[in-house]
């Protein structure tokens, strides 16, 4: 599982930073979190696969999070893929999407769905599920979690000792079912161990609110709005953003493992002051930069 940051600036693109987008590469899926202007080019520069994108999770409809959608979708549509793209976003997303594409000739059979999400689980398959929670911003806005399901790993030496062959029996054990072997019942706990699923949470843009802690709880990685340092807390309050310290406080309360700051004001050429501000409340922190890759 790899997470690549494609844009780490807030409103204004700078020479070094594009606005909001991140690409999660997981098994057969490419999941895009936000899609700012220029995202498809960032994907190409990063060497990621546009054709793999199956889901786009939009936090809210401010330009620095969505202006790359038309270009990206037109390109994906031209690839003649067997699958479509599912877009998720907060209340009002269907109308906003329609209006955004209103003036663009989009003559294709390519299947795009738009689903409005609010609070709780909104997608699930065998490997993972996706959750959202409303945030506190100037327009409807949601945070997202990608939650991998716990899975059982087969203990190879225990299996070979018992002489159980590869095949459907191992599949049953991996699913947590007991099997019969040589006239004996084998419980899954005897020959497998549970590997905890990984969790990644994206929170942008917002002021602190109770849902931050709730959705970020026990995340392996929390990627979060950190537009200003504490010195500019008034600006954060005025524009509906978090300071680095507030982001760190959420990470600490939510028991996350790693904190990744993003969505920086263009005034920060150097992001060390943001990291330092966060470190007063949470130690394992890094300021994201465009094309930063995290293996999770
Ligand atoms: Zn923003
Ligand atoms: Zn915003």
């Amino acid at each position: 599982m790899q997470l690549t940051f494609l844009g780490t600036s807030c409103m204004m693109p700078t020479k070094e930073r594009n606005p909001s987008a991140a690409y999660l590469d997981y098994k057969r899926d490419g999941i895009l979190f936000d899609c700012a202007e220029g995202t498809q080019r960032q994907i190409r520069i990063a060497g990621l696969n546009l054709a793999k994108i199956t889901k786009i999770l939009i936090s809210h409809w401010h330009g620095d999070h969505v202006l790359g959608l038309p270009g990206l979708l037109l390109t994906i549509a031209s690839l003649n893929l067997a699958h479509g793209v599912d877009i998720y976003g907060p209340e009002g997303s269907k109308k906003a999407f329609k209006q955004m594409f209103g003036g663009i000739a989009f003559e294709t059979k390519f299947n795009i769905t738009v689903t409005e999400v609010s609070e709780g689980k909104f997608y699930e398959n065998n490997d993972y599920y996706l959750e959202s929670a409303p945030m506190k911003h100037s327009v409807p806005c949601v945070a997202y979690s990608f939650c991998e399901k716990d899975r059982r790993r087969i203990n190879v030496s225990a299996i070979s000792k018992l002489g159980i062959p590869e095949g459907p029996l191992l599949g049953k054990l991996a699913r947590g079912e007991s099997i019969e072997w040589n006239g004996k019942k084998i419980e899954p706990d005897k020959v497998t161990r549970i590997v905890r699923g990984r969790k990644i949470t994206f929170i942008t843009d917002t002021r602190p609110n109770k849902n931050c802690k709730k959705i970020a709880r026990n995340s392996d990685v929390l990627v979060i709005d950190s537009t200003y340092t504490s010195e500019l807390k008034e600006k954060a309050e005025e524009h509906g953003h978090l300071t680095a310290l507030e982001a760190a406080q959420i990470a600490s309360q939510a028991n996350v493992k790693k904190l990744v700051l993003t969505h920086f004001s263009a005034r920060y050429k150097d992001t060390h002051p943001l990291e330092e501000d966060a470190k007063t409340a949470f130690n394992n922190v890094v300021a994201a930069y465009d094309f930063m890759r995290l293996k999770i």
Side-chain angles (χ1 to χ4, degrees), residues 9-11 20 59-60 62 64-65 137 204-205 225 227 241 263:
S9 168
C10 77
M11 222 170 72
S20 211
S59 60
H60 64 299
H62 275 155
D64 56 323
H65 297 258
H137 198 41
T204 186
D205 301 349
D225 174 1
T227 310
H241 291 296
H263 197 273

Side-chain angles (χ1 to χ4, degrees), residues 154-171:
I154 302 281
N155 180 336
V156 180
S157 68
I159 289 294
S160 57
K161 246 185 216 163
L162 290 166
I164 304 171
E166 277 195 32
L169 287 177
L170 289 192

Side-chain angles (χ1 to χ4, degrees), residues 138 207 228 232-241:
S138 55
R207 286 295 299 145
Y228 307 103
L232 295 179
K233 190 174 173 187
E234 274 176 27
K235 276 200 178 297
E237 283 166 352
E238 187 187 337
H239 299 295
H241 291 296

Side-chain angles (χ1 to χ4, degrees), residues 57-75:
L57 313 185
I58 297 296
S59 60
H60 64 299
W61 284 81
H62 275 155
D64 56 323
H65 297 258
V66 293
L67 284 175
L69 273 177
L72 178 92
L73 290 170
L74 282 164
T75 301

